[in-house]
Amino acid sequence: MSEDLYTVREAMLYSQRIAQLSKALWKAAEKDWQAWIKPYDLNINEHHVLWIASNLEGASISDIAKFGVMHVSTAFNFSKNLEERGLLAFSKRNDDKRNTYVELTEKGKSLLVELTENYNQSKHSVLEGSLPLKEMYGKFPELLDLMAIIRNIYGDDFMDIFEGSLRKIE
Amino acid sequence: MSEDLYTVREAMLYSQRIAQLSKALWKAAEKDWQAWIKPYDLNINEHHVLWIASNLEGASISDIAKFGVMHVSTAFNFSKNLEERGLLAFSKRNDDKRNTYVELTEKGKSLLVELTENYNQSKHSVLEGSLPLKEMYGKFPELLDLMAIIRNIYGDDFMDIFEGSLRKIE
C-alpha cells in the first residue's frame, strides 16, 4: 500500500482513535465477562479456552492460542488447570504426535450449559449499550467494518472459524 | 429495556462475539502502540496519560482515569513517573484544592512531537488492515455503530471529550 493514500498525521489519529475505542470496548466486555463467570471460579482465559474447545471440535493448543489471541504458553497453562479440574481432557492423535489436542469432558460441558443458563444473573453493559441499536435495526449490530479490519489483520482463517463456531451454536 | 427484545442465547452469543472481536482488535492495537513507543522508554499507560493531558487542557487525575479507562491509582502512579521524568507537571487550583491537575512540560510536548514524527518507523497492523476500507470508502472507516455502543456504555461526556480532543489535533 502506498503512503500517498494518507498523511502521517491522519494515520496516527486514526490509529489512536481505534486504539482508544477498542480499549474502551474491550475493558467493558472484560468486566461483563468477569462478572458473568465469577461464581464459577474461572478466569476469562480459562472460560475462553473452554468456549473455543467446545466450538472447535478437536482443537489443538495452538488453535486455542490463535483463536483466543493468547500466547501458546498461556493457552497451555490454562488448559492444564482445566484438565486438573476435570473440565478438559488432553489427547494426542495418531496422525499428529506433535500437537496436544483438548476436548471438553462431560463435567466441562455441563459447566458451559450452566453458564448459559445463568447468563442473565449478571450485568452486561455491552449488551445494554447495544439494545438501542437493536431496536433501531431490528437486530444486533453486525459491525461489518470492524469485522473486515480484523479479517485483514488476523486472516480469513481466524474469521472463518470465528463465524463458523458462532453459527454452530446458533 | 425489556428482555422480550432478545433471547438469552442470542444475547450471550452477541456478547461473546463482541468480547472476542474487541479483544482481538485491542490486542492488535496494543501491539502496534507498544512497537511505536518502544524507543522512548514509555509504556502504553504513560503515553496514554501524556496524550490525554495534551488533548484535554488542564486535565485532573480523575479525567485521565476516566478517559484513559484506567483506575485512578493507575493514572496517578503513571502520572507520578512522568512527573519524575520531567514530562508532566502537577498543580492544584485555587478553586479546587481537592483535585490534582496535570500539564505537559516543554519536554513532554517535544516528546509527543517526536513520537508523531516517528510514527512511520514502526508497523501498524490496524492501520494496514483498514487501508482496503479507506480505498473503498475514500476515507478511514468511522465505525459509527461501535461509537454509539461505547457512547451508551461510557456516556456522552466520554465521547464528547474523545471527539473534541481528536478534532483539536486535526
Side-chain angles (χ1 to χ4, degrees), chain A residues 5 8-9 14-15 17 20 23-26 51 68 119-120 129-130 134 137 145-146 152 154 163 169, chain B residues 5 8-9 14-15 17 20 23-26 51 68 119-120 129-130 134 137 145-146 152 154 163 169:
Chain A
L5 269 171
V8 172
R9 178 164 287 268
Y14 173 74
S15 285
R17 178 195 205 94
Q20 295 186 38
K23 182 184 181 187
L25 187 63
W26 166 239
W51 174 268
Y119 176 81
N120 260 347
S130 305
K134 176 155 187 352
Y137 293 145
D145 285 354
L146 183 67
N152 290 335
Y154 289 95
E163 288 301 314
I169 306 167
Chain B
L5 269 170
V8 172
R9 179 163 287 268
Y14 174 74
S15 286
R17 178 195 204 94
Q20 295 185 39
K23 182 183 181 186
L25 186 63
W26 166 238
W51 174 269
Y119 176 82
N120 260 347
S130 305
K134 177 159 187 350
Y137 294 145
D145 285 352
L146 184 66
N152 290 336
Y154 289 96
E163 287 301 314
I169 306 166

Side-chain angles (χ1 to χ4, degrees), chain B residues 22-42:
Chain B
S22 66
K23 182 183 181 186
L25 186 63
W26 166 238
K27 294 290 166 190
E30 190 180 28
K31 219 165 150 183
D32 291 351
W33 198 345
Q34 266 160 353
W36 175 31
I37 63 179
K38 197 171 178 231
Y40 300 91
D41 190 25
L42 286 173

Side-chain angles (χ1 to χ4, degrees), chain A residues 1-3 5-30 32-33 36 44-45 47-48 51-52 55 67-70 112 115-117 119-120 124-137 139-143 145-150 152-154 158-159 162-163 165-166 169-170, chain B residues 1-3 5-30 32-33 36 44-45 47-48 51-52 55 67-70 112 115-117 119-120 124-137 139-143 145-150 152-154 158-159 162-163 165-166 169-170:
Chain A
M1 296 280 171
S2 146
E3 278 172 27
L5 269 171
Y6 56 88
T7 65
V8 172
R9 178 164 287 268
E10 193 188 2
M12 187 190 75
L13 287 176
Y14 173 74
S15 285
Q16 281 296 91
R17 178 195 205 94
I18 298 293
Q20 295 186 38
L21 290 177
S22 65
K23 182 184 181 187
L25 187 63
W26 166 239
K27 293 289 165 190
E30 191 181 28
D32 291 351
W33 197 345
W36 175 31
I44 285 181
N45 281 323
H47 183 233
H48 208 171
W51 174 268
I52 297 166
N55 296 341
F67 300 110
V69 196
M70 45 181 105
L112 286 190
L115 272 157
T116 305
E117 284 165 359
Y119 176 81
N120 260 347
H124 295 278
S125 62
V126 174
L127 179 75
E128 282 171 29
S130 305
L131 289 179
L133 293 164
K134 176 155 187 352
E135 280 194 278
M136 197 168 64
Y137 293 145
K139 58 180 179 179
F140 283 111
E142 294 189 337
L143 305 172
D145 285 354
L146 183 67
M147 305 254 291
I149 297 169
I150 293 171
N152 290 335
I153 299 171
Y154 289 95
F158 181 86
M159 288 311 283
F162 177 75
E163 288 301 314
S165 70
L166 289 176
I169 306 167
E170 277 164 354
Chain B
M1 295 284 170
S2 147
E3 278 172 25
L5 269 170
Y6 56 90
T7 66
V8 172
R9 179 163 287 268
E10 192 187 2
M12 189 190 75
L13 287 176
Y14 174 74
S15 286
Q16 281 297 92
R17 178 195 204 94
I18 299 292
Q20 295 185 39
L21 290 176
S22 66
K23 182 183 181 186
L25 186 63
W26 166 238
K27 294 290 166 190
E30 190 180 28
D32 291 351
W33 198 345
W36 175 31
I44 285 182
N45 281 324
H47 183 233
H48 207 172
W51 174 269
I52 297 167
N55 296 343
F67 299 110
V69 196
M70 45 180 105
L112 287 189
L115 272 157
T116 305
E117 283 164 358
Y119 176 82
N120 260 347
H124 295 278
S125 62
V126 174
L127 180 74
E128 281 170 29
S130 305
L131 289 179
L133 293 165
K134 177 159 187 350
E135 281 194 278
M136 196 168 63
Y137 294 145
K139 59 180 177 178
F140 283 111
E142 295 189 336
L143 305 172
D145 285 352
L146 184 66
M147 305 256 290
I149 297 169
I150 293 172
N152 290 336
I153 299 171
Y154 289 96
F158 182 87
M159 289 310 283
F162 177 76
E163 287 301 314
S165 70
L166 288 175
I169 306 166
E170 277 164 354

Side-chain angles (χ1 to χ4, degrees), chain A residues 60-75:
Chain A
S60 67
I61 296 286
S62 53
D63 291 334
I64 302 251
K66 181 170 180 190
F67 300 110
V69 196
M70 45 181 105
H71 284 282
V72 173
S73 60
T74 307

